[in-house]
Structures are given as structure tokens and as C-alpha cells.
Amino acid sequence: MPTFDFDLFVIGGGSGGVRAARMAAQTGARVALAEAAELGGTCVNVGCIPKKLYSYAAGYAESFEEAAGYGWKLPEAPQFDWAHLKAQRAKEIARLNGIYASLLKNAGVTLVTGWAQLVDPHTVEVDGKRHTARHLLVATGGTPFVPDIQGREHVVTSDAMFDLDPFPKRLLVVGGGYIACEFASIFNGLGAKVTQLHRRAHLLTGFDDDVRQFLANEMGKAGVDVRLNCDVASVTRGTGGTGGLTVTLARGQQIEADTVLFATGRVPNTQGLGLEAAGVALDERGAIAVDAHYRSSVPSIYAVGDVSTRVQLTPVALAEAMVVVDELFGKGKRRLDYEFIPTAVFTHPNIGTCGYTELDARAKFGEVAVFSSEFKSLRHALSGRSERTFMKLVVDKATDRVVGLHMVGANAGEVVQGFAVAMRAGATKAIFDSTVGIHPTAAEEFVTMREPMPG
Ligand code: NDP
């Protein structure tokens, strides 16, 4: 029986890696984790957490605007201090980095700082030092993808958005996915003039069609200049004093901007890890190919999170990590069911969604009943804003089960998280109907929709 330095060696200190290392160590396993940058990965450092903080910051602009309708007289026009927000964010993220470090330390995980490379199925090298382990887990996440357009060197990705200097007065966002829509909304709220270009006829591919249209309309009303069916041909930097950027579209039109953000998807972080040396196979997307237990083509090497799966969400990486730990050090019974994973897009207004789009539900279940509602929330009765809320339920007619639930409106993420539990439990429309609403809320609309849409 070979002896190893560790039972588990984790490469990558993001959400999935830290969770796996901590939980494995708590079972008594000898665990090491290697990370070359700050602990916490994309989510903590340049993703979910700072994004949500900036989304809150943007929300104040709306609140100031609405306050007058409620009788508040602000002494002077509110001023936004970008440098202060950045400093506050950096302080909070540093605090979280520290919490991650102490979680690992308290669990007894050996933290190895540096770039880790696989040498063989049981050996990792970090800064010239070799470590052996019975099992290896790759949890290195993903990185932004920028297409190969002319002038690519002038654009930034989401990684750079939190520390831009100076604040971009004119921001051009390319892409129509989560990140593009969120940053367009946030910087619009913070006071930038935002143009968003997307190559398709609708934003947010994969979301329910009604949600896609409703959100684009609301973002437009809020001030984002959303332009659809637009492809970028090139980006050039002006030689004049302003140093501004000119974006030329495929059909010739030009747009000036201070910052151009490409939010055109993310790719798995597989480069420079020695995956080939260890014999780890990648799939057609360049991600580590894994089986239902997150085991790669090499039996001792596992992978979780964005480096391996299709569902690029922090809670999914966490859940996958728990499955791996249970597989290696527990009862081996835990599984992750990818159906009915709720998600939110932190645009203004938010999107919250769980389950199937109407289109996908029709394809999967056949006959479905669709209920939807669009209204002005009570908050806007006095706020002076014209923002509206949209809600939709998709019900499988054969079983009466609610198989799709979608919302565009304030706090949609908070609302949908609760409904997701009911949906996982298989709640039917009859159960929704028999649930007493909380009045007055927007969420109560989900339990008071009585008439299906015709057709
Ligand atoms: P997405 O896959 O959501 O969106 C990518 C966008 O870029 C799509 O609109 C896509 O268009 C477009 N695109 C792709 N390639 C090109 C190209 N060559 N030229 C022009 N446009 C292009 O990726 P994101 O980068 O926004 O986010 C990555 C993932 O991170 C998300 O899928 C999500 O899972 C996760 N995430 C989750 C968040 C949350 O939970 N709130 C927040 C942020 C990210 P098309 O529609 O045609 O494919």
C-alpha cells in the first residue's frame, strides 16, 4: 500500500475547493489546498460578492430618486464617490479572504501558496516542492473569454470592472448574458452612460422568452441603451487627448466609450495545470470531463465547479464539492440533482427563476398551462417610477406540478429562493392556490394567479 503525504490535495481555493478541503478535513482526512491568488476564487474576489455590493450601491440611486414621492426632501443632489466604494469593497473582500483562511486553518487544512501543477495521478508540484496525495481535486474555476476581434487588447473583462480608474462616464458592454446585463444595470445605476450590445435578437439566451423581453424593456426604461442584433468588428483607441475608445460594429456604425467590457462567456481554467501530464481528459468545451461522481478520466483525480461542469454557479460548485467529500470520506450516497436549480440575475430589476422556461416545458412535458401577471408594485405607487414587475408560472397539465417559476422585479432572487424549495418538493398548482398570501407583497402574486393564459 503506497503512502501519501495527504489523503486529499485540492488545487484551487475558490468556493468548490475550499468547501471540499474543509469538509474533508473535518472527517479526519489529511488535506492540503493550493492557491496562487487570494482565497475565495472568482465569487469572493471578482464575482458574486463584489458584484452584489455594487448592485446595492447602484440601488441607492433609485432610492434617492424615489424618495421625493414619499415626502423626503434631500438637502442637495446626492454625490457618488467611486473611490470610496472601491475602498469599502476592497476592505470587505480582504475580510472575507481572511475568513476563508481561518476556516481552512481551523479545519486543519494545510494551505500551500503558489501555482500547483499535476506531475502524475498522485503528485502535485508547487514552487518546486512535490506533494503526494491519495486523491486530487481540481477546482480551478473559469476565466473570462474574449473573442478574437481587432483591438481586443483595449477591452476589459469583468475581472477589471471593480477597480476601474477613473469611473467610466461612457461604458459599452458587449454580451447579453448574466455578467453583461448585471454590469450594464449596475454602472447605469452608478451614473455611467451605458450602451449594451448583443449579437442576438434578445438578451439572456436560455431564460424564458417573456422574461428576456420584459427585462430588456425595463433596462431600457432605466436608462441602458440596449442594442440587439449587433456584432462588434473592432475597437480602436483614439490618439487625441481623451484617449477614448471607438467601437465599430459589423454594419459600420461607430460608438465612443471610455471603457469597453466584453462579457462574452467564461471558459474553464485548465491551462498550466499539468492535466496532460497526469492524463486527464477534457471534453469538447475544454472542461475536465467527469462522471456522475465528478471523477475524471484518471481515477484518483476529481474536478468540481466551473473547471468541469456546465452550470457555472457558486452554489453548484459547493454542492458538487459535498458530493466528492461524501464519495471519498463518507457514505458515498450523496448526489446533486441539477433539476430545479434556482438562479438570479442581479440586474435592476432582478430576475429570479427556477425550473423550465415555457418553451422547454412544452418540449419536455407536452401540454402546459401558463399563468402570468404584470403589475406596478405598491412601492411605485408613490415613487414616481414606472418600473413594473413580471411573474410567470408554468404548470405541467398532466400532473399539475409547477415546473417553471419566473420573476422580474425587486428582490426576485430572495422571492424565488423560497419558492424553489416548494418546487423541489414537487408542489402542484393546487398547493400554490391553497397557500395563503402575505399581503401586501409582490410575492403573493405567485399564489393568487387563477386564470391561465389562453392557448
Ligand atoms: P453567459 O454565457 O451568461 O453569456 C455570454 C454572453 O456572451 C451571451 O450573451 C453570448 O451570446 C455572448 N457571446 C458569447 N460569445 C460571443 C462572441 N464571440 N461575440 C459576441 N457575443 C458573444 O456568460 P457570462 O460571461 O455572462 O457569465 C458566465 C456564467 O457565470 C453564467 O453563465 C452564469 O452561470 C455565471 N454567473 C452567474 C451569476 C449569477 O448567478 N447571478 C452572475 C454572473 C455570472 P449568445 O446568447 O448568443 O450565446
Side-chain angles (χ1 to χ4, degrees):
M1 189 86 162
T3 56
F4 298 104
D5 301 333
F6 298 100
D7 298 310
L8 175 69
F9 195 105
V10 179
I11 304 179
S15 304
V18 169
R19 172 64 64 91
R22 268 176 65 205
M23 293 299 152
Q26 282 174 12
T27 69
R30 298 164 308 144
V31 182
L33 179 144
E35 172 58 64
E38 298 294 348
L39 288 171
T42 300
C43 174
V44 167
N45 294 289
V46 286
C48 326
I49 302 297
K51 177 273 307 290
K52 189 84 191 271
L53 293 175
Y54 282 16
S55 174
Y56 285 132
Y60 281 97
E62 292 167 3
S63 301
F64 290 134
E65 229 180 276
E66 295 168 8
Y70 281 94
W72 289 96
K73 301 228 176 328
L74 301 177
E76 55 192 68
Q79 301 292 312
F80 172 58
D81 184 343
W82 173 234
H84 184 75
L85 176 63
K86 288 195 292 183
Q88 288 281 92
R89 180 217 84 235
K91 209 161 87 185
E92 175 59 11
I93 300 306
R95 189 182 73 83
L96 294 176
N97 296 145
I99 287 177
Y100 269 66
S102 45
L103 283 175
L104 290 175
K105 186 164 172 249
N106 295 342
V109 175
T110 303
L111 181 59
V112 183
T113 305
W115 187 264
Q117 272 194 309
L118 298 172
V119 177
D120 64 40
H122 291 283
T123 312
V124 177
E125 187 172 307
V126 186
D127 287 339
K129 183 161 190 263
R130 293 192 171 194
H131 310 266
T132 60
R134 185 178 306 279
H135 309 289
L136 302 172
L137 174 67
V138 184
T140 47
T143 198
F145 158 79
V146 178
D148 197 12
I149 53 140
Q150 194 191 329
R152 188 177 183 272
E153 65 278 14
H154 301 306
V155 313
V156 298
T157 66
S158 55
D159 289 355
M161 290 303 287
F162 300 102
D163 261 322
L164 288 177
D165 187 22
F167 182 82
K169 290 203 177 76
R170 300 164 303 171
L171 173 67
L172 190 135
V173 178
V174 181
Y178 279 81
I179 296 178
C181 291
E182 288 182 342
F183 277 113
S185 267
I186 290 169
F187 277 79
N188 175 59
L190 295 178
K193 181 179 174 304
V194 179
T195 306
Q196 183 177 358
L197 305 179
H198 180 39
R199 62 182 177 181
R200 292 194 195 237
H202 297 288
L203 299 175
L204 289 167
T205 303
F207 282 72
D208 188 89
D209 286 344
D210 288 336
V211 166
R212 299 168 74 187
Q213 291 192 21
F214 193 87
L215 180 80
N217 190 40
E218 287 300 322
M219 283 177 66
K221 276 160 58 183
V224 179
D225 180 3
V226 181
R227 302 193 196 180
L228 301 165
N229 298 311
C230 287
D231 279 306
V232 173
S234 68
V235 181
T236 49
R237 187 175 287 287
T239 47
T242 61
L245 299 167
T246 303
V247 175
T248 305
L249 305 188
R251 50 176 186 252
Q253 191 190 2
Q254 293 194 318
I255 304 167
E256 305 288 321
D258 303 310
T259 299
V260 176
L261 164 65
F262 263 67
T264 41
R266 296 176 61 84
V267 289
N269 262 332
T270 52
Q271 298 300 310
L273 295 176
L275 295 173
E276 314 76 26
V280 176
L282 304 183
D283 65 17
E284 68 287 352
R285 296 167 304 121
I288 295 178
V290 290
D291 65 14
H293 307 128
Y294 309 104
R295 185 178 277 206
S296 76
S297 56
V298 178
S300 59
I301 303 180
Y302 289 71
V304 294
D306 290 3
V307 76
S308 65
T309 57
R310 284 162 303 279
V311 187
Q312 301 174 325
L313 297 171
T314 292
V316 170
L318 297 176
E320 291 175 350
M322 298 299 283
V323 174
V324 170
V325 171
D326 181 57
E327 186 78 13
L328 299 178
F329 306 108
K331 295 196 171 83
K333 295 254 186 290
R334 207 171 170 130
R335 294 288 175 269
L336 173 61
D337 179 358
Y338 289 82
E339 207 179 21
F340 299 109
I341 290 175
T343 178
V345 188
F346 294 101
T347 40
H348 293 234
N350 290 183
I351 294 176
T353 180
C354 183
Y356 294 83
T357 65
E358 181 181 338
L359 212 64
D360 290 346
R362 284 191 194 284
K364 185 174 168 78
F365 302 101
E367 276 200 72
V368 296
V370 175
F371 299 79
S372 81
S373 173
E374 191 206 308
F375 55 94
K376 183 173 176 174
S377 81
L378 182 59
R379 180 184 174 105
H380 297 308
L382 302 187
S383 74
R385 286 168 69 86
S386 63
E387 183 179 298
R388 295 183 72 76
T389 298
F390 175 76
M391 290 179 174
K392 178 168 177 176
L393 291 178
V394 184
V395 178
D396 171 19
K397 273 195 180 168
T399 59
D400 196 41
R401 185 176 181 182
V402 178
V403 294
L405 182 145
H406 311 278
M407 172 173 176
V408 185
N411 303 313
E414 307 288 346
V415 171
V416 172
Q417 178 68 85
F419 280 105
V421 178
M423 291 176 71
R424 294 265 324 143
T428 57
K429 181 67 168 62
I431 291 185
F432 271 58
D433 291 345
S434 69
T435 303
V436 175
I438 300 175
H439 189 69
T441 61
E444 70 178 315
E445 200 71 18
F446 274 131
V447 296
T448 53
M449 291 184 197
R450 297 282 178 254
E451 286 303 317
M453 305 291 288

